[in-house]
C-alpha cells in the first residue's frame, strides 16, 4: 500500500483527484490534509467518506508541528500539494494569505518531504506563472513573469520546489495546469459562478470586453495528467497540463447560456480586473510524450460541467445562500456595472 497525503484535498481539483485515485487504484491509502478555508468543503468528499482507505485531517500546511504529526502517523510516501489560496481577485485585495500558504506552506511541506525521505513530492502549479502570453505558447523552460499576487506566490512555490530538488535531491515534480472546470468548483470562479447565476436568472458579470482567452480544461483530464506524471514523470521536471486550445470569455459565457436555454441579455459587462492577463496558452507536448492526452474538448467539458451544476443544485445553493458568500459577492461586484 502507498500512503498519499493530499493537501488541499477538500477543494475543487484536490477532491476530484481523491475520487479518481481511489477509483483507479486498490493499493493506496489517502489522507486529505486541509485547513478548511472558505474553499474547503467536506461535501466534496462525501462520496468517499466511508471508504476505509480514506482519512481526513484538518490542518494548515504552514503549521510545521501538525504536518510532522500527520507525516508520522500515516507513514506518508507521496505528497500531492493542491493546498493554496487560488482566486486571483481575492489576491488583489488580500495578498498576505497567498504568500503565506502558496510560498511558506510549500516550504513546510518540502521540509517534511526532506525529513521523511518520501518517494515523491508533487506540486500543483498553474499556467499563470508564465504571465500573459499574447502570441505562441508557453513551454516549461520559459521565464516566469507572474503579474498578480496569486501567480507571483505560485511562482515562488514552484521555485522553492526546484531549489529543494537542486539543493537536497528532493524527488519533486511540478505540473502547471490551465483553467479547470467541472464538479465541486467553488462558485467564485467564472464558470460555476456564471452557470449558477444564469440558473437563478441573475446577471453574469463579465469583465472588460470579454475577449480574454483561457484554456478551459475538464478537471478529470487534469487529474489523469497529474497521475501520469506521478507514474512516468522525470524527477525535477515541470510539465504543462492543459488542452492547448483557448476560448474567449464571451464565447464561454454564450456557450453556458445556450446550454441552459437562457437569454444573452443576462450578460452584464462590468469594470475589468486590474492587471487582467489577456491570454494564457500552453504547449503540452512534454506531458503528451508521456502518453497522456485530454478526453474532453471545450464543448464536451462545458456541457458536462453545466450538467453537473444542474444536477447538483443543493451543493452550490448551500454555498451561495450563506452569509459569507453573499458578503463576498457584494464586496466584489457591487457598483461595477458598465453600460452594455
Ligand atoms: P480551491 O480553492 O478549490 O481549493 C483549495 C483547497 O486548499 C481548499 O480546500 C482549502 O481549504 C485548502 N487550503 C487553503 N489554504 C490551506 C492551507 N494553508 N493549508 C491546508 N489547506 C489549505 O483550489 P483548486 O481550484 O482546487 O486549486 C487546487 C490547486 O490547483 C491550487 O494549488 C491551484 O493553484 C492549482 N490550480 C488551479 C487551477 C484551477 O483552474 N482551479 C488551475 C491550475 C492550477
Ligand atoms: O489559469 C489557471 C488559473 O485559473 C488557476 O491557477 C487559478 O487558481 C484559477 O482561479 C483560474 O484563474 P483565472 O483568473 O483565469 O480564473 P477565473 O475563473 O477567476 O476567471 C476566468 C476568466 O473569467 C478571467 O479572464 C476573468 C474572467 N471573469 C472572472 C470572474 C470571476 C469574469 O469575466 N467575470 C468574473 O466574475
Amino acid at each position: 500500500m502507498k500512503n498519499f497525503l493530499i493537501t488541499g484535498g477538500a477543494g475543487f481539483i484536490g477532491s476530484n483527484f481523491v475520487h479518481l485515485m481511489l477509483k483507479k487504484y486498490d493499493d493506496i491509502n489517502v489522507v486529505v490534509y486541509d485547513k478548511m478555508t472558505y474553499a474547503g468543503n467536506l461535501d466534496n468528499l462525501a462520496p468517499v467518506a466511508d471508504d476505509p482507505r480514506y482519512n481526513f485531517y484538518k490542518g494548515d500546511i504552514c503549521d510545521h508541528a501538525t504536518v510532522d504529526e500527520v507525516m508520522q502517523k500515516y507513514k506518508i510516501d507521496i505528497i500531492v500539494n493542491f493546498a493554496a489560496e487560488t482566486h486571483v481577485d481575492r489576491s488583489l485585495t488580500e495578498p498576505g494569505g497567498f504568500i503565506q500558504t502558496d510560498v511558506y506552506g510549500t516550504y513546510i511541506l518540502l521540509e517534511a518531504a526532506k525529513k521523511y525521505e518520501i518517494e515523491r513530492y508533487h506540486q500543483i502549479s498553474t499556467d499563470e506563472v508564465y504571465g500573459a502570453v499574447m502570441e505562441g505558447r508557453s513551454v516549461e523552460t520559459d521565464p516566469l513573469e507572474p503579474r498578480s499576487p496569486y501567480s507571483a506566490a505560485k511562482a515562488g512555490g514552484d521555485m522553492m520546489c526546484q531549489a529543494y530538488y537542486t539543493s537536497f535531491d528532493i524527488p519533486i515534480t511540478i505540473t502547471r495546469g490551465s483553467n479547470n472546470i467541472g464538479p465541486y468548483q467553488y462558485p467564485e470562479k467564472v464558470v460555476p459562478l456564471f452557470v449558477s447565476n444564469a440558473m437563478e436568472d441573475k446577471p453574469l458579470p463579465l469583465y472588460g470586453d470579454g475577449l480574454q482567452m483561457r484554456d478551459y480544461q475538464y478537471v478529470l483530464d487534469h487529474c489523469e495528467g497529474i497521475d501520469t506524471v506521478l507514474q512516468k514523470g522525470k524527477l525535477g521536471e515541470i510539465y504543462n497540463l492543459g488542452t492547448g486550445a483557448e476560448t474567449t470569455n464571451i464565447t464561454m459565457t454564450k456557450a453556458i447560456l445556450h446550454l441552459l436555454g437562457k437569454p444573452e441579455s443576462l450578460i452584464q459587462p462590468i469594470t475589468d480586473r486590474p492587471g487582467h492577463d489577456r491570454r494564457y496558452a500552453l504547449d503540452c507536448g512534454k506531458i503528451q510524450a508521456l502518453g497522456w492526452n485530454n478526453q474532453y474538448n471545450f464543448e464536451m467539458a462545458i456541457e458536462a460541467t453545466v450538467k453537473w451544476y444542474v444536477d447538483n443544485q443543493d451543493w452550490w445553493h448551500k454555498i451561495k445562500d450563506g452569509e459569507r458568500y453573499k458578503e463576498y459577492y457584494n464586496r466584489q461586484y457591487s457598483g461595477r456595472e458598465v453600460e452594455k
Side-chain angles (χ1 to χ4, degrees), residues 293-305:
N293 222 328
N294 288 285
Q295 301 302 312
Y296 292 76
N297 61 23
F298 174 74
E299 287 72 27
M300 294 158 76
I302 198 78
E303 192 177 339
T305 301

Side-chain angles (χ1 to χ4, degrees), residues 11-13 34-35 37 60-61 86 101 125 150 154 178 180:
F12 163 46
I13 309 176
D34 199 295
K35 183 179 172 183
T37 68
D60 187 336
I61 60 166
T86 61
T101 289
S125 183
Y150 164 68
K154 291 297 289 184
S178 63
N180 278 220

Side-chain angles (χ1 to χ4, degrees), residues 58-266:
K58 185 171 180 219
D60 187 336
I61 60 166
C62 301
D63 179 357
H64 171 77
T66 329
V67 168
D68 210 59
E69 188 183 311
V70 84
M71 292 295 294
Q72 279 190 43
K73 180 171 176 190
Y74 295 103
K75 298 186 171 41
I76 297 301
D77 301 299
I78 295 167
I79 298 176
V80 186
N81 179 28
F82 292 91
E85 289 294 341
T86 61
H87 193 37
V88 174
D89 290 324
R90 290 184 195 252
S91 84
L92 298 169
T93 52
E94 300 156 86
F98 288 71
I99 299 162
Q100 183 70 12
T101 289
D102 302 7
V103 186
Y104 185 80
T106 299
Y107 146 73
I108 292 292
L109 293 176
L110 287 164
E111 279 293 311
K114 182 166 152 226
K115 178 172 176 185
Y116 293 99
E117 298 181 342
I118 66 172
E119 202 174 292
R120 180 72 69 88
Y121 174 93
H122 183 78
Q123 177 79 350
I124 308 299
S125 183
T126 168
D127 58 3
E128 300 203 5
V129 296
Y130 297 116
V133 182
M134 296 314 293
E135 281 175 14
R137 301 185 168 281
S138 304
V139 291
E140 289 82 351
T141 48
D142 280 354
L144 303 189
E145 294 178 8
R147 289 163 28 93
S148 72
Y150 164 68
S151 52
K154 291 297 289 184
D158 283 17
M159 288 194 278
M160 202 53 75
C161 294
Q162 291 178 290
Y164 269 65
Y165 174 72
T166 306
S167 309
F168 310 116
D169 241 351
I170 304 304
I172 68 109
T173 42
I174 299 172
T175 43
R176 292 192 176 139
S178 63
N179 285 61
N180 278 220
I181 58 174
Y184 304 114
Q185 186 169 30
Y186 191 85
E188 65 187 347
K189 307 287 165 42
V190 73
V191 168
L193 175 67
F194 282 13
V195 173
S196 56
N197 275 17
M199 286 173 69
E200 296 184 292
D201 296 308
K202 289 184 178 159
L204 276 46
L206 187 66
Y207 293 167
D209 61 8
L211 295 178
Q212 306 81 12
M213 300 186 95
R214 294 291 184 269
D215 172 349
Y216 292 100
Q217 180 180 47
Y218 198 59
V219 64
L220 283 181
D221 281 336
H222 186 165
C223 293
E224 286 284 5
I226 296 164
D227 187 34
T228 300
V229 171
L230 287 175
Q231 303 289 336
K232 301 181 194 164
K234 194 165 163 246
L235 298 184
E237 294 288 316
I238 297 165
Y239 295 86
N240 288 342
L241 179 45
T243 71
E246 298 79 50
T247 307
T248 62
N249 287 336
I250 185 72
T251 303
M252 169 274 293
T253 305
K254 287 181 179 173
I256 289 171
L257 291 170
H258 177 74
L259 284 162
L260 290 170
K262 298 286 183 178
E264 289 183 9
S265 56
L266 282 178

